[in-house]
Amino acid sequence: MQANKPPGAPHHLMRWLGQMLGRHPRVLGVLCGYSVALVVTAGLAFVALELQIKEVKAGHTQVLGRMQAIQDDVGKLLTALNASYPSDCTPENLNQLRSLLFSHRYARDIGLLDEQHRQFCSTSLGLFETPERQREGGIDGSIGRYHLRAEVRLSKTSLRTTLVERDRFIVTIDDKPAQDMFAQFSDAVWAGSGQQRRRVFKSSEDNLTDDPLPSNTEALRVLWGNAQLLVTTHKPGVSPISVQSVIKPADLYDNQYEILAGAVGLFFLLAFLTSEAVTQRCRYFQSMDYRIHHMCTPAGVVCHYQPILDLASGKVVGCEVLGRLLDQDQLMYPDQFIPALNRQGLNWSFDRLVSSRALRDLASALPAQNNFVVALNFFPQNLRRDAIHAHLKAAQEALGRSDMQIELEVTEYDFAPEILPELRKLKANGFSISIDDFGTGYSNLGMVKRMAPDRLKIDRTFVYEMEDATLRSSLIPEIIGIAQAVGSEVIAEGIETAEQAYSLRALGVQYGQGYHFARPLPLDAFITYLCEHAVGADPASSAQKTHTP
């Protein structure tokens, strides 16, 4: 047999964790519930933010796409003008230029420039009375020089728009489609590089954007002071373009109040459900059903031994092994843990651990005896010959003690016909069989006779009522008669007084156990008691010694 090994670090860690979690289940449940709800809500907010960023970037893509379309259209027009048309303000040339405008969507007017780059003619006004002075500044681009918000004369009024100048021509752009798209998808648009960099568009949120907006600004930047996010998209080139938008917390649920209300409701629902689940789980960590797994281990099993005495000689002839479990430093008794033991399916583990521990301890500490009876209690469902025989025989062979007689106890209440074949096989294999709590169950004489147990144990309730001469106590002679009929010895349990011991002896009861002799004792105290009663004394007249369990 293997020696007891202390539980490893994972076992201790799990037990410690269970104890910690079980101390304040409600507090921990609430904390976990709202933490999980907060994390989930934050996750949903992050997903919403990601979707918002994708939407903003998609808008930027449309803005840049529109600007590229304008540039391509106007660029083709300027190329065609400078390659194929003279800079003459004749009616024929102007008509041709006007016709050319119809094939270019974003060109609104074509102006002609003189050698000093002054505009002297246009398709909308014809020949100017006085040439307009040369325009200063502008932004150099891939298709020419851009003049932003330049004032352009029309027939009856003037407007400010964008002009693109190349060589002998200057084209007025219809930038309203671009401006509409700027307003829909951005808060600021910048174009140009170096000293020429200019703001093309600004919205009402422009104060939150960068000013100026460098062409190498990072794509995402958090404004911690305002709890806002700047999304920037760049398009490199001769005249780099940058589009920037501001995302505010309100943008995540703007015009989505139903979704916001649903998110708040989900937060509190998730917090409540998680809190309840964690609370129940933490309470489970304090329950016997959870703790029994940590107690039902080699280190958690404690065996006590109650002496069985010969009522005639007072000599200890055996002991009943009673299993206990340690819950940290607290000793747990069977009525406290057996229900959980059965619910968790650990009864065989418990029986195996108790019997192994008892046999090992007794073999190492018990002086040489003459057929010393070791009575082991097994759950009825564990009384299977193959399992018990293999387990106990291996234990006996490992211990090398032939002077200990293993006795298997089965209560009369559980003494059913189904286990009778198993008990008979075990008896044939050399194990003694005793029927415990005899007189409280429903076994009939025929069944007892077929089993022919080695011992019948009179239940303590019969002994307790002896002094009152109750009907129950009057059945003791009948029980003794049944034992004699089937060839069984008789043990009386629960003897608490010398008078009870004397009366039972007089009735023919051979053996007894109870508080009058000793309580169930730890191993050291039991060995001491055994040595003190090695010679034997009259149990009916000896003074009871005090032995604390």
Side-chain angles (χ1 to χ4, degrees), residues 116-118 132-140 145-151 163 165 170 196 198:
Q116 287 78 36
H117 282 272
R118 297 176 302 175
E132 292 185 347
R133 61 183 177 81
Q134 182 178 356
R135 299 180 184 279
E136 301 293 336
I139 300 174
D140 291 325
R145 170 163 288 201
Y146 289 83
H147 297 280
L148 306 177
R149 296 188 60 76
E151 185 175 0
L163 306 176
E165 172 188 350
I170 186 167
Q196 293 183 349
R198 298 287 185 275

Side-chain angles (χ1 to χ4, degrees), residues 374-403:
V374 179
L376 299 173
N377 293 279
F378 280 83
F379 287 94
Q381 59 267 41
N382 295 334
L383 290 172
R384 304 182 305 273
R385 180 263 175 193
D386 293 340
I388 290 182
H389 180 265
H391 167 61
L392 294 180
K393 280 300 181 183
Q396 285 179 310
E397 291 173 3
L399 298 174
R401 292 287 297 256
S402 60
D403 57 343

Side-chain angles (χ1 to χ4, degrees), residues 53-70:
I53 291 173
K54 287 183 179 180
E55 184 179 341
V56 167
K57 288 183 175 180
H60 289 183
T61 300
Q62 292 191 54
V63 168
L64 294 173
R66 178 61 57 86
M67 295 181 73
Q68 183 65 50
I70 293 174

Side-chain angles (χ1 to χ4, degrees), residues 9 32 76 80 88 106 165 258 265 306 339 341 421 428 457 459 503:
C32 288
K76 290 178 182 179
D88 295 336
Y106 299 105
E165 172 188 350
E258 296 84 358
Q306 187 167 32
L341 203 71
K457 300 186 75 172
D459 185 66
S503 299

Side-chain angles (χ1 to χ4, degrees), residues 77-78 81 85-86 93-94 96-102 104 107-113 119 121-126 128 164 168-173:
L77 176 59
L78 286 168
L81 289 172
Y85 295 89
N93 189 42
L94 290 179
Q96 290 182 350
L97 295 180
R98 291 187 188 103
S99 298
L100 188 61
L101 285 174
F102 287 107
H104 293 274
R108 187 169 182 179
D109 192 17
I110 300 173
L112 286 69
L113 304 177
Q119 184 175 353
C121 182
S122 72
T123 56
S124 59
L125 297 178
F128 296 176
V164 183
R168 294 175 294 113
F169 294 92
I170 186 167
V171 175
T172 302
I173 295 176

